[in-house]
Amino acid sequence: LTFTKDSALAMSVFLQELAMRGILFHPANLKPSAAHTKADVAQTLTACEEALAVVRAGWEDGDLAARLNGKVLDAGPVRQG
């Protein structure tokens, strides 16, 4: 898996859309906790579906960057090979 400029943009929009729906994830750690209830998980899954729909629409329309209200995540070092 390579983290590219395009994937950084997609992740940025995805995380933004999740935050707008009350779900906060760190880009490197999308793990649930045993403290989450079934309702928490259901809310998170719904938010993920909605956020991914925004990302998909942006890819299909060619305007994904226009959907981001902030900065693109820093991809950091990219491992090759």
Side-chain angles (χ1 to χ4, degrees):
L1 180 63
T2 302
F3 199 60
T4 66
K5 185 176 179 180
D6 287 340
S7 62
L9 174 59
M11 179 62 88
S12 298
V13 173
F14 176 67
L15 293 174
Q16 167 190 276
E17 293 298 318
L18 286 177
M20 291 171 56
R21 291 162 175 78
I23 305 298
L24 299 178
F25 275 133
H26 186 279
N29 188 1
L30 304 178
K31 297 178 184 174
S33 163
H36 291 113
T37 66
K38 288 182 180 182
D40 294 332
V41 173
Q43 178 187 5
T44 301
L45 291 174
T46 298
C48 285
E49 288 176 354
E50 293 171 357
L52 287 171
V54 171
V55 172
R56 180 179 181 174
W59 279 119
E60 290 174 349
D61 296 344
D63 69 348
L64 185 59
R67 295 167 191 261
L68 183 62
N69 296 322
K71 295 181 179 180
V72 174
L73 292 170
D74 180 6
V78 177
R79 196 170 88 194
Q80 301 292 326

